[in-house]
Amino acid sequence: AAKAEGRRTYRYFMPEMDVKAKARHELATELKRAVTEHDFRLHFQPLVDLNSGTIAGCEALLRWQHPVRGFVSPAEFIPLAEDIGLIEDLGEWVLDQACRVAVGWPASMTVAVNVSPIQFRRATFPLKVAAALARTGLAAHRLELEITEALLLQDNESTLAILNQLRDLGVKIALDDFGTGYSSLSYLHRFPIDKIKIDKSFVDTLTEEAGSATIVRAIVQIAAAGNKTTLAEGVETAAQRDLLRHLGCQQMQGYLFSPALPEDALARLIGNTDAETQTAPRRAPASV
Ligand code: C2E
Ligand code: MG
Ligand code: MG
Ligand code: MG
């Protein structure tokens, strides 16, 4: 009976799995073509200094504008690109493009680039980073690489070796979505990390749940003890911004200030449309 039932289940499941597998296969084929044809754009979201209101830098966020499907979220295609072996080519393009754009910004501004664990773990990754800096002429200290907590948990030795090579190059390292992984706060001091990006989930509940403020305060204090910068992700309200400032957080990123913008819109925002005025970015609007 079990066998018959199993077979029946199998028969009922198969068509649906077929549809999903087929859709995934189609998306994979299109993603391959998009990578070959560089069918992507980078948008840039400002990272704002909470005390001065100035733009300290921007995070480069990948956009795929599909001719038929429209906008496909990176949350959907990045994992797929990782699965089908495309993330290294894609990641290299992102790195190069982000550096190329950032060279045109005021020298005080940094550019943050998300790095997939697969990309990061390659022994050649530091060489690729050095090559992108050399090609584009971006100063190493203006590049910030965003990695995730999961990297710190697996294979400590090689992760540490790569992080040290990157530090030797002079690039900065940020820990993305902090608090969502499984690493403990004690991990923070074992690795050469310059910035901690406190995940949006803590910011979302900040003004309602006392527990979130307590966690943010703890992260900020531990980061400060290790000379690390803290940034809060996904700040959407003035109340969140005010509380974060009060808790000692140094930077914020979120729709309250600006979503990710195309290159030209960002250039207008930072008041850098004149090529000759390579000055510090303007103060953020008074409302933010
Ligand atoms: P992330 O690195 O944590 O990037 C922040 C995400 O939060 C972005 O989503 C951004 O648009 C969104 N966000 C920023 N402020 C707010 C806010 O106030 N409210 C809300 N609701 N959302 C906000 P996006 O661009 O869809 O990217 C999603 C994720 O995809 C990124 O999360 C990152 O993990 C990944 N990703 C994006 N670009 C790349 C890339 O070039 N390479 C790799 N490996 N991953 C990327
Ligand atoms: Mg990020
Ligand atoms: Mg993030
Ligand atoms: Mg996030």
Side-chain angles (χ1 to χ4, degrees):
K3 210 173 178 187
E5 211 162 68
R7 217 175 269 143
R8 211 179 303 138
T9 313
Y10 176 78
R11 205 163 48 229
Y12 280 122
F13 259 107
M14 213 33 208
E16 195 197 321
M17 279 172 63
D18 248 5
V19 170
K20 276 189 186 157
K22 195 162 171 267
R24 197 183 130 89
H25 180 76
E26 273 169 23
L27 194 63
T29 307
E30 286 166 358
L31 191 58
K32 269 177 210 155
R33 186 191 44 78
V35 169
T36 322
E37 295 174 10
H38 303 300
D39 220 359
F40 296 93
R41 296 283 172 277
L42 284 185
H43 282 189
F44 299 90
Q45 185 176 30
L47 314 179
V48 180
D49 188 295
L50 267 165
N51 286 313
S52 68
T54 53
I55 299 174
C58 288
E59 178 174 2
L61 292 161
L62 195 54
R63 298 290 177 258
W64 181 16
Q65 192 64 49
H66 187 279
V68 180
R69 294 169 197 266
F71 170 71
V72 185
S73 168
E76 198 176 325
F77 70 80
I78 293 286
L80 183 59
E82 287 172 339
D83 284 354
I84 63 177
L86 289 178
I87 195 65
E88 284 172 85
D89 283 353
L90 191 52
E92 237 181 292
W93 180 83
V94 169
L95 190 60
D96 210 86
Q97 186 64 18
C99 293
R100 215 172 278 289
V101 172
V103 162
W105 298 343
S108 61
M109 279 177 63
T110 57
V111 66
V113 174
N114 291 285
V115 178
S116 157
I118 294 170
Q119 208 186 341
F120 181 91
R121 266 195 264 274
R122 294 272 179 231
T124 52
F125 181 63
L127 290 173
K128 298 253 166 99
V129 172
L133 291 170
R135 254 194 317 269
T136 60
L138 186 74
H141 72 271
R142 295 182 61 195
L143 176 63
E144 194 168 83
L145 300 173
E146 295 196 1
I147 62 168
T148 51
E149 275 169 278
L151 264 181
L152 307 187
L153 290 174
Q154 306 154 8
D155 202 0
N156 272 340
E157 287 308 305
S158 65
T159 297
L160 190 58
I162 294 172
L163 283 174
N164 282 329
Q165 285 177 59
L166 292 168
R167 168 150 288 193
D168 289 346
L169 281 178
V171 305
K172 302 278 189 270
I173 305 290
L175 208 48
D176 206 354
D177 305 329
F178 187 78
T180 57
Y182 299 96
S183 69
S184 70
L185 288 173
S186 69
Y187 267 83
L188 290 179
H189 295 323
R190 278 193 234 159
F191 296 91
I193 288 156
D194 302 283
K195 182 188 280 189
I196 293 163
K197 300 189 76 175
I198 302 167
D199 191 67
K200 183 180 187 304
S201 55
F202 300 107
V203 175
D204 283 344
T205 52
L206 195 60
T207 53
E208 286 107 49
E209 291 172 26
S212 294
T214 305
I215 291 168
V216 169
R217 183 182 282 116
I219 297 173
V220 167
Q221 282 171 357
I222 288 181
N227 261 327
K228 300 175 199 325
T229 306
T230 42
L231 176 146
E233 294 189 299
V235 179
E236 295 180 346
T237 69
Q240 290 167 348
R241 173 206 58 204
D242 294 345
L243 186 50
L244 285 162
R245 197 185 276 144
H246 175 75
L247 291 170
C249 190
Q250 288 147 304
Q251 295 182 357
M252 67 164 188
Q253 172 179 9
Y255 296 168
L256 174 67
F257 186 83
S258 172
L261 300 169
E263 199 183 326
D264 54 345
L266 176 80
R268 283 194 294 276
L269 182 70
I270 63 180
N272 190 36
T273 38
D274 301 329
E276 65 229 31
T277 53
Q278 296 282 310
T279 51
R282 278 184 197 157
R283 275 185 67 91
S287 62
V288 175

